Each structure stands twice: as C-alpha cells, then as structure tokens.
Amino acid sequence: MLSRPKRAHSSRVVARLLQSLFVVWAAATAAFVLMRLAPGDPYTTRIDVPANERAQWSAQRGFDQPIPVQYVKWLRNLAVGDFGQSSYFKRPVLDVLRDVLPRTLLLMSLALTASVLLGMAIGAWQGTRVGTTGDSLLSTGSLLAYSVPEFWLGILLVQLFAQSLGWLPASGMVSTEYEYLPLSARIVDRLRHLVLPLTALTLLGTSLFARFQRSSMRDAWNEPFVQTARAKGLTERGVRWHAWRTALVPVVTMFGLMFPSLLGGAVFVESIFSWPGMGHTAVLAVNARDYNLAVAAVIVGSVMTVSGSLLADVLQRAVDPRTAA
Amino acid sequence: MTPLRYSRLLAGALVSTLLLACSPEQQPLDTREEGGTVAIGLSGEPASLLPPLVGSDHEQAIVEVLYDRLADIGPALATVGDAGFTPRLASSWQWAGDSMSISFTLDERARWHDGQPVVADDVKRTFELYTNPLVESSQAALLANIDSVSVSPPRTATFWFKRRSPQQFYDAAYHMFIAPAHLLQDADPAELSLAPLGRSPVGTGRFRFVQWNSGDRIEVIADTTNFRGRAILDRVIYRLFTDVGAAVVSLFTGEIDFFSPLPADDLEKAGKTPSLRVVAYPSLKYQLMLMNVRNPASVEEPHPVLGDLAVRRALSMATNRERVVRAVFDSTAGVARGPTTGLFIPENATLRELPFDVAAARALLDSAGWQIAANDSVRAKNGVRLRIEVLVPAGSPNRDRMAVLLQDQLRAVGAELVLQRLEINTLITRLERANFDAFMHGWNMSPGLVGLRQVWTTGSFGGAGNNYGGYRSPTYDANIDSALSSFDPVVAQRTLIRALQTIIDDAPGIWLAEDGAIAGMHERIEPGVLSATGWWHGLPSWRIPADKRNDRDRIGLTPAR
C-alpha cells in the first residue's frame, strides 16, 4: 500500500499526464478544424487541372464531407496509430515524419545543448562579476545576439562563410559526393554541414540562457548563505558552486520552455540551409493544405511542448527538492 | 600516459583524418567520351516518380530520363499528325485508313531496367492508369480523345480515338510515359502512390534509377545496355533543395553544377563567376494582368469597370509593356504579343497589337464617359470609380514587381490599382469564384496549344477549364476551334491568327512578358541545345569533355560505399 505522500505524488503525475494528453488533443483538434476552414484543399494548387476534375478528386478523398464526419474518421484512424496519407508527399504521414523528425531533433538537441552549456557558463561568470568591464561587454554582446533574427543571421553566415570565404558548405546535410567518400571523410563532411545551421540556432539560445543565468546568479550571489559559506571557510570555487546550484532553477525552467520554441526557429534555419527537417515540412504541409501531415506536425509540436514542460518540472525538482513538496 | 599526451594523440588523429578526408584520391586520367557526373539542383522534392502521378517540373525532370514516351516531339514542337515525331519506345507506327486508330509497334530491343522486355500490355496498362479517375493524373484530361488501347501481343498497341483530330498522334504519343505493367499488375489505382515503383522506379530510359535519399538527393546512372545507346554522362545527382535561394548559393559555391531557372537577380553575379556559364533557352510561359470581364456579384452581367471594352483597351494602351518587362526581367524575357509565346505564333502572322499611347488611352476613357472629377485623381463613371483590385500571389517577386510598375503607369490615366497580395490557396479560391477584378497571372503553354482553349474559350469558364476572367467571344471560340481541329495547316494557321487578333483586340488581359528561361551551369558542362519543353529533355546527350573533368566526374559508375 502506498503511503499518503507517495499516493499524492502518483495522482499528481497522473493528473499531469492527463493534462498533457488534453493539450495535445486540443491542439490537434484545433489544427484539424482550422486547416479545413482555411481556403482551398489539397488539390487547389494543381491549377493546370480543371476545377471540376479537382472537385471530383476532392470528393473521392472525402474532403467534401462535413468537418465533424471527417474528424470522427480521422480520430478513429488515429486511435489505431494511423496518421493517414500525406497528399503532398504521396506517402504515409508516419513515413514522412520518420524521415524529417530525426533531422530536426538532431539539430535542435545539439543547438539546445550548446546553448545551455555556453549560456550557463557565460551567465554564471557574469553573475559573479556584475558591473565589471567583462560583464558589460558580454551583456551587450548577448543583447545583440538576442536581437538578431535567426533567418538574418543564417543568411549572413552563408554569405560570409560559404559564399565569400568558401570555408563551409552553404546547404544540405551532406555533400554531393558524400556517398562516395571514405568513412573518415563522411564524418568530417557531416560535421562541416552542421556548423552553420547550428551556429544560427545556438547563438540566440546562448544569449537567452546567459541573460537568465546572469540574473539568477547575481541574486544568489547576494544571498546571506553565500556570506555564511565564506565565513565557514569554503573556498571561492566552493562558494560559486553553491550559489550556482541555487541559481539553476530559472535556467532549468527556461530549458523546458526553449525546447519547443527551437522548432519554430528551425523553420527559418531549415529553409536557409536547405535542411530537410520538420520545420520546413510543417510549412510545406500548411501551404499545400496537406491536412494529415499538417495536423501530425501540430501533434509533434504539441508533444514537444508538453514534454519540454514536463522535463522542466523534473529538472526543477532535481535541482530544488523544495518544489517537490 | 598523461592527459596531455592523450590530447596530443587525439589532435594528431583528428588532423590526419581531416587531411585524409580533404585530399582527393589519385585517379588515372579518364579519356573516355562517356563519363562525368552532373549535380543538378531541384527546388523541391518529387512526391512520386511513377509516370501517371507526375505533375511538377521537378518530377518531370527525373521521370523523363528514366522512362520513355512512344515517340518524341520534334524541335519545332509540331503537333499536327506525326510530322516531326521521332521513334522512342515505338520503332514504327501505322495509321488506320479512317484515321480512327494508330498502331504502335514497340522496339523489339527495348527492355525495362530489370531486364524484362517491353510489351504492348505495358502501353495498355499505362493508359488505363493515366485515365483512371482514382489515380488523379493531371494528364487525364489531355487523353480524353482516346477511347481505348488494344493489344496484339507481343509488341503492337493500338490506340482507338473517339473522333478524328489533327493532334491525335500527339495525344497518344506525347502525354504518357510508358510504365512497366508487370510491376503494376496488382497496384490499386486509388492507392497507386503507395506502389513501390513510385520511389524505386524501373523504366526504359537511358538513365536508370540508383537511389532516393528523402530530402537530400536522387541519383541516376547511365543505363549501359540501353537499346537507344547509353547516356554520355555516367551519373546525375539531383540535389533536393527546400528553397530556391539555397540552391542558387550552392551553384555559386560549386556544390551543384546546374540550376534552372536562375532568378534574374542572380544573373549578373553568375556572369561574373568564372566557373559558371549562363545559358538562355526558350520557355513556354507567358505572363499577363488578367482582367475579370464579369461582375463578381453576378457572373452573367459585365464587370462594372472591366466589363467595358474601352476601359480594358485603354489600360492596355497606357501600359509601357517594354519598360515593365525590361525593369523586371532585364533581357531574359520578351514582350508578350498575346495569350501565347512567340514560339506558337506563325512566323508570317501580322498581329496588330494595341500601341503604347497614353494620350490615346486618356481620350478613349474620356469618350467612354470615364471622367476625372475636380480634386480627384481617379476617373469615375456614373458613380463607379476606376479602381481595380489586383490579386498578386505572395512569394512571387516578379509578378509583384510587374504589378507595382503597372500601378504606377496606370495612375497616369486616372486608374487606381490596389494590390492585394494573397496566399496561393486563398488566391485560387477567389479566382475560381470569379471574386476578383484583376490577377497577375502566368500560364505555361503546352505544345498542343490546348491552353488557348483551356484558358480563354467561353466553355472553359466556371470549372470546366481555367478561364477565370470569364472572357467570352463567339468569334474567338469559333476560330480557335477551327485552328485546333483543322487538318489543313493553312486553314489552321489562318484561324489561329484570327483568334489571336480577336483576343488582342478584346484585351481581356494586359499581355506582359514572354518568359525566357535561364540556366546557370558549371562551365565544363556542354548541354547542347536546351529545349523549350524542359532543360532536362536532352540530358542523356549532355557531355563533359575528358580534359575538363573534375573529382566529381571521376565517381564514374561505381556504386556508393
């Protein structure tokens, strides 16, 4: 038999999971309805085909049926894991997701990791040196980086490092000759193609984390426990460590919130660097009125959002056990 | 070992790896006539490489080198009878005495890339798939005059037509790429896109399929045993881009060798890049500002402004089309003379175009009762202002620029153009409901001139075709019908000219640009003449001289690692 606190914890977890499920369902339903209310259907842009013929195709696929009828059918299929066919890619939606999602997750996870590590390091350093020249320079730098739009930064990076200097490839995940290179060269090739999109995505995240970390570190640095730790004879490094752990909570929350927002950033970055990932595919699906794929993209986005939020909770409890109470 | 030594070892290994990776393997000089690899950028990914499902240019570009038609159209793009057509999958053909059927005999040497012989059943099955409504082929409407296909095993396929037509050979031979029946026997037409052949094609073309890495590339190599001879290039790698800009940058950096159409903005830079060559070739596309002649509120009544012939003619005359085209396309496009490209206007045609004459345009509007009131810059008649909402597709910079220039030029005669930039689905929905005044339109002609019927005849208004502006002229309809149905080339030409003159006089649009296409390519590539039907048409004959080949060309026919 579970003890009372454990039982309360379990019901909190169940409630949170149900809440997450509701969020995903609500987002998917809203996307389903809005996509069908938007002008056009999957055949609209095939303008070379007479409208009457396109209307016949639409009816064949059931797009002329009332939205509730289409919704029930879609929900029934979804319940058995069938996301349907992509009208644009002419493939099962799951096959398309299987191709594009790992590419975006690779880019996002690397960008997020780099942003967190760099941002925390820079912010923590600044937080203990508030008001110094170094702090001012880094603050100005991070503000500048934060205010630069990702797409503009991406274009700038391509112009400079790919077109002008020719140091790095401008686009794609691998080179044209990739399949015919030896293994070592393939690894290098993949890394070279990651540099520019990753930089574009990381810079914004780093500046954001740095600003949060600096602020929370500065607050923690002025707390009485820091003085106490010093009075107890703890080394300066030890004092910093204690202060940093306390200053982690807002950064961890930010980590969870940043997780889905990177997907938004990936939309621009994927287009500029021709990185065939989820962001670009989602935009394509909406423009092509690829109903099934667009709704699946929303489901993926909402799953990432609730996962980020759950992850933030878990990490928050890990760094600050008081929040678990 | 100390940590320092470890890090030094690691650094050494990394440097060695980088050096190895960057140094090309020494290869003996290749002196063969055949050889070379071309990396071609496509601004999109095909959905399927199954012939009946092909719709976009980037699908057509690949399917055309993997599959064959029964016969190929000649360089003059003639579509009357079989004049100019050359054998492809069919080695010969025979017309029935009453011209109601044509029998194609397939080349006995023709083989599918899996080694199976090409048989008449392949033609029959292909026709069935193309015309099955469940397949949703965009070519189906073009095959409407073909009643059925019968076979005389093993290699004779006979097309039976519903009625005699000058274009019946073109209909049978040109619109379909023949697909392998033995790999499609069990395919469900409603789910044809799921057939494995769509992503792993088996054709008869001079290139054979190698691989398709979704989102990244599609590769084909020369079919060395092809019945029409192997392609000269060893390999073509189609790089799939999510964005035109990214493809153009990759052309400049050498990551790809070829991209078309090259945007006009990049021409100057391409011209200054020593490794690149810019090649212009004809296109079948023209652009116009389409005017809705019907009232959006009640399509049987004339449009309150553009239903007036004098207004339409005056707007055309007030437009300096030459200036618009030069400002937007520089020298890469010509001024359109009517609703077609110059390629399809008979050489001896003397078409009277509406002259650029602002004074005459003003006078015409004055005489039609469109006056400018005091303290106003826009004309009005009976309380209706000469105000036109122009729909512009968002993300179409050339059409946007043309619209802005028109807005400026037409202001001079007291017309107010209000530009409405719309997302493409919203825009098309409004077009199909005739809920618009004017639209920055572009149309891609096909060799058979069916576009002249599909876009401008009275019967093609309201869903049966693409006559969005509701243009109606019994004279045009009758002449275009004669032009497309007459077996006498002289009559066909004469009636085509009459039809074009009628529509030019009626001015249901301001004819703007007759596009030329521009390709940017690496200077080592010799593509021959690029066809108006698509740059890819002669791809199997492209060559790279042995003394100009680079590391990419030395990939050869070897399989990937």
Side-chain angles (χ1 to χ4, degrees):
Chain A
M1 202 172 175
L2 287 172
S3 63
R4 192 173 292 171
K6 277 190 178 172
R7 213 180 306 142
H9 177 70
S10 300
S11 35
R12 266 208 307 270
V13 170
V14 171
R16 192 66 203 271
L17 285 175
L18 286 175
Q19 188 189 26
S20 303
L21 209 60
F22 174 78
V23 168
V24 173
W25 168 80
T29 301
F32 184 94
V33 174
L34 290 174
M35 281 296 293
R36 277 158 176 83
L37 288 178
D41 69 21
Y43 298 107
T44 302
T45 50
R46 291 178 67 175
I47 198 166
D48 54 327
V49 178
N52 290 348
E53 207 170 323
R54 281 186 276 129
Q56 189 190 337
W57 295 351
S58 247
Q60 271 170 198
R61 303 283 172 183
F63 297 136
D64 61 337
Q65 291 180 336
I67 293 177
V69 175
Q70 293 184 52
Y71 181 68
V72 170
K73 192 177 166 191
W74 173 78
L75 215 52
R76 206 181 296 143
N77 290 338
L78 192 66
V80 293
D82 180 5
F83 281 70
Q85 297 282 319
S86 157
S87 55
Y88 181 84
F89 289 101
K90 297 192 172 90
R91 300 169 68 195
V93 165
L94 280 178
D95 285 2
V96 178
L97 293 183
R98 209 171 288 137
D99 279 340
V100 299
L101 197 53
R103 295 171 188 150
T104 298
L105 289 178
L106 171 75
L107 205 57
M108 281 174 58
S109 54
L110 288 175
L112 198 58
T113 308
S115 301
V116 170
L117 293 179
L118 284 170
M120 285 199 310
I122 293 169
W125 188 88
Q126 283 183 271
T128 57
R129 292 167 181 80
V130 174
T132 63
T133 313
D135 173 48
S136 301
L137 283 173
L138 282 169
S139 288
T140 310
S142 64
L143 187 64
L144 197 68
Y146 185 63
S147 48
V148 171
E150 278 152 338
F151 70 91
W152 186 82
L153 180 66
I155 292 169
L156 195 74
L157 290 171
V158 168
Q159 291 286 339
L160 183 63
F161 292 103
Q163 275 200 267
S164 302
L165 299 171
W167 290 353
L168 290 162
S171 61
M173 295 175 62
V174 292
S175 301
T176 302
E177 297 84 0
Y178 176 79
E179 306 272 350
Y180 306 95
L181 296 173
L183 182 64
S184 55
R186 284 190 192 195
I187 295 169
V188 173
D189 188 67
R190 279 216 178 252
L191 292 175
R192 277 164 51 82
H193 279 81
L194 265 171
V195 174
L196 293 184
L198 203 55
T199 306
L201 275 174
T202 303
L203 207 62
L204 174 80
T206 302
S207 61
L208 197 68
F209 279 113
R211 290 173 69 76
F212 266 81
Q213 182 70 87
R214 176 187 177 274
S215 168
S216 57
M217 190 71 180
R218 185 193 56 199
D219 293 347
W221 200 242
N222 294 327
E223 289 286 327
F225 76 85
V226 172
Q227 306 299 327
T228 311
R230 276 212 185 94
K232 278 183 172 177
L234 214 63
T235 61
E236 197 59 21
R237 197 172 172 180
V239 172
R240 277 205 187 105
W241 170 253
H242 274 284
W244 180 71
R245 283 205 58 180
T246 315
L248 264 182
V249 178
V251 180
V252 159
T253 310
M254 180 52 59
F255 179 81
L257 296 177
M258 275 290 283
F259 193 63
S261 73
L262 274 176
L263 188 65
V267 171
F268 299 111
V269 173
E270 285 175 6
S271 281
I272 291 162
F273 295 100
S274 211
W275 190 276
M278 192 67 221
H280 170 73
T281 305
V283 172
L284 210 62
V286 172
N287 288 341
R289 299 292 187 266
D290 187 337
Y291 295 150
N292 290 335
L293 186 55
V295 175
V298 170
I299 291 176
V300 168
S302 54
V303 166
M304 285 171 73
T305 305
V306 296
S307 308
S309 175
L310 285 173
L311 187 68
D313 277 3
V314 170
L315 290 173
Q316 215 169 16
R317 278 161 206 224
V319 296
D320 186 1
R322 287 171 302 173
T323 55
Chain B
M1 203 178 270
T2 64
L4 184 64
R5 279 185 186 162
Y6 270 127
S7 59
R8 277 184 183 166
L9 264 179
L10 197 64
L14 190 63
V15 169
S16 315
T17 308
L18 279 168
L19 288 173
L20 274 174
C22 297
S23 57
E25 290 177 30
Q26 288 299 311
Q27 303 258 357
L29 188 65
D30 187 356
T31 54
R32 292 175 303 142
E33 161 70 2
E34 297 92 1
T37 294
V38 172
I40 294 174
L42 298 179
S43 57
E45 177 162 10
S48 171
L49 295 178
L50 200 55
L53 299 178
V54 165
S56 63
D57 273 2
H58 45 268
E59 289 166 341
Q60 182 92 2
I62 303 174
V63 163
E64 191 158 331
V65 300
L66 292 174
Y67 290 92
D68 282 309
R69 297 179 168 101
L70 289 172
D72 198 18
I73 197 165
L77 307 182
T79 56
V80 177
D82 57 9
F85 280 87
T86 50
R88 279 293 179 266
L89 215 47
S91 54
S92 61
W93 47 84
Q94 191 160 15
W95 292 73
D98 61 358
S99 296
M100 290 301 283
S101 68
I102 305 172
S103 293
F104 290 88
T105 303
L106 303 176
D107 195 314
E108 61 182 344
R109 301 166 300 160
R111 294 281 182 279
W112 294 105
H113 293 149
D114 64 0
Q116 295 291 313
V118 178
V119 292
D121 268 337
D122 296 321
V123 181
K124 183 177 164 63
R125 180 67 174 150
T126 301
F127 173 74
E128 287 168 354
L129 288 174
Y130 267 95
T131 51
N132 189 327
L134 294 173
V135 172
E136 300 170 359
S137 171
S138 51
Q139 305 292 306
L142 301 170
L143 300 168
N145 189 32
I146 302 172
D147 180 70
S148 58
V149 174
S150 62
V151 298
S152 304
R155 290 193 309 278
T156 302
T158 303
F159 284 73
W160 298 89
F161 297 90
K162 292 175 184 167
R163 61 180 185 280
R164 289 181 70 222
S165 147
Q167 305 199 352
Q168 62 196 78
F169 183 89
Y170 165 71
D171 289 344
Y174 187 78
H175 299 308
M176 292 185 292
F177 291 98
I178 307 304
H182 64 284
L183 298 175
L184 289 166
Q185 236 26 293
D186 302 325
D188 173 6
E191 302 293 341
L192 192 63
S193 60
L194 298 181
L197 204 60
R199 293 188 71 82
S200 185
V202 175
T204 53
R206 293 168 70 191
F207 283 103
R208 62 166 67 215
F209 175 79
V210 177
Q211 62 166 330
W212 180 347
N213 286 352
S214 184
D216 176 43
R217 73 187 56 211
I218 293 172
E219 275 191 54
V220 299
I221 56 169
D223 179 32
T224 52
T225 58
N226 192 274
F227 71 105
R228 292 199 292 120
R230 63 155 283 176
I232 296 173
L233 294 171
D234 279 339
R235 186 181 298 268
V236 178
I237 302 174
Y238 299 92
R239 295 296 309 272
L240 312 174
F241 289 89
T242 55
D243 180 70
V244 171
V248 172
V249 170
S250 294
L251 179 69
F252 286 125
T253 58
E255 288 168 62
I256 58 171
D257 298 312
F258 181 96
F259 184 74
S260 182
L262 198 60
D265 291 347
D266 296 302
L267 283 181
E268 192 182 341
K269 188 174 178 191
K272 288 178 182 167
T273 307
S275 63
L276 290 183
R277 194 142 48 93
V278 173
V279 176
Y281 62 101
S283 148
L284 302 181
K285 191 174 178 185
Y286 69 94
Q287 314 223 22
L288 70 152
M289 188 183 91
L290 174 72
M291 294 186 254
N292 186 3
V293 302
R294 305 199 188 207
N295 190 334
S298 168
V299 292
E300 289 310 313
E301 291 169 21
H303 190 281
V305 177
L306 298 170
D308 186 338
L309 174 63
V311 171
R312 298 200 305 270
R313 286 176 65 92
L315 294 181
S316 289
M317 289 162 70
T319 303
N320 187 338
R321 298 181 293 141
E322 177 77 30
R323 183 176 288 177
V324 172
V325 173
R326 292 292 150 256
V328 176
F329 298 100
D330 198 350
S331 57
T332 65
V335 177
R337 296 163 69 193
T340 179
T341 68
L343 282 172
F344 298 122
I345 297 177
E347 280 178 17
N348 57 354
T350 47
L351 293 172
R352 293 182 314 277
E353 297 175 61
L354 294 174
F356 168 55
D357 187 339
V358 177
R362 283 195 189 113
L364 191 57
L365 288 170
D366 286 340
S367 63
W370 294 90
Q371 305 289 338
I372 299 183
N375 303 325
D376 201 350
S377 58
V378 179
R379 288 173 187 269
K381 178 181 174 182
N382 301 331
V384 178
R385 286 165 66 84
L386 187 42
R387 182 180 186 276
I388 302 159
E389 184 193 43
V390 183
L391 306 189
V392 184
S396 184
N398 289 343
R399 292 195 215 177
D400 201 300
R401 285 177 208 166
M402 285 194 286
V404 170
L405 291 169
L406 285 177
Q407 186 182 39
D408 183 54
Q409 291 188 7
L410 297 183
R411 195 177 291 135
V413 292
E416 182 189 15
L417 264 57
V418 180
L419 307 189
Q420 181 76 278
R421 295 169 180 91
L422 292 179
E423 181 267 341
I424 190 70
N425 287 280
T426 310
L427 190 147
I428 295 173
T429 305
R430 284 193 58 181
L431 289 183
E432 289 179 348
R433 290 176 184 161
N435 181 19
F436 71 103
D437 296 332
F439 163 49
M440 297 308 293
H441 197 6
W443 190 259
N444 220 347
M445 299 287 289
S446 61
L449 288 177
V450 284
L452 289 174
R453 183 180 274 150
Q454 193 179 340
V455 180
W456 298 107
T457 53
T458 311
S460 58
F461 174 70
N466 299 82
N467 183 3
Y468 302 120
Y471 172 63
R472 51 185 151 191
S473 161
T475 313
Y476 175 83
D477 292 351
N479 279 304
I480 211 67
D481 199 44
S482 299
L484 296 181
S485 58
S486 175
F487 287 86
D488 181 343
V490 177
V491 174
Q493 201 176 85
R494 192 172 61 224
T495 48
L496 173 63
I497 293 169
R498 270 192 213 145
L500 290 175
Q501 190 60 63
T502 304
I503 199 167
I504 289 169
D505 291 341
D506 287 344
I510 300 177
W511 320 114
L512 294 169
E514 178 183 309
D515 287 16
I518 302 289
M521 68 183 78
H522 195 274
E523 54 85 28
R524 75 187 196 286
I525 300 171
E526 293 178 1
V529 178
L530 297 179
S531 168
T533 55
W535 53 260
W536 52 83
H537 195 73
L539 190 59
S541 304
W542 289 18
R543 64 182 70 236
I544 298 174
D547 59 335
K548 288 188 174 178
R549 289 177 194 161
N550 60 19
D551 285 348
R552 182 173 294 157
D553 297 317
R554 295 190 188 101
I555 293 173
L557 296 168
T558 52
R561 288 170 189 258

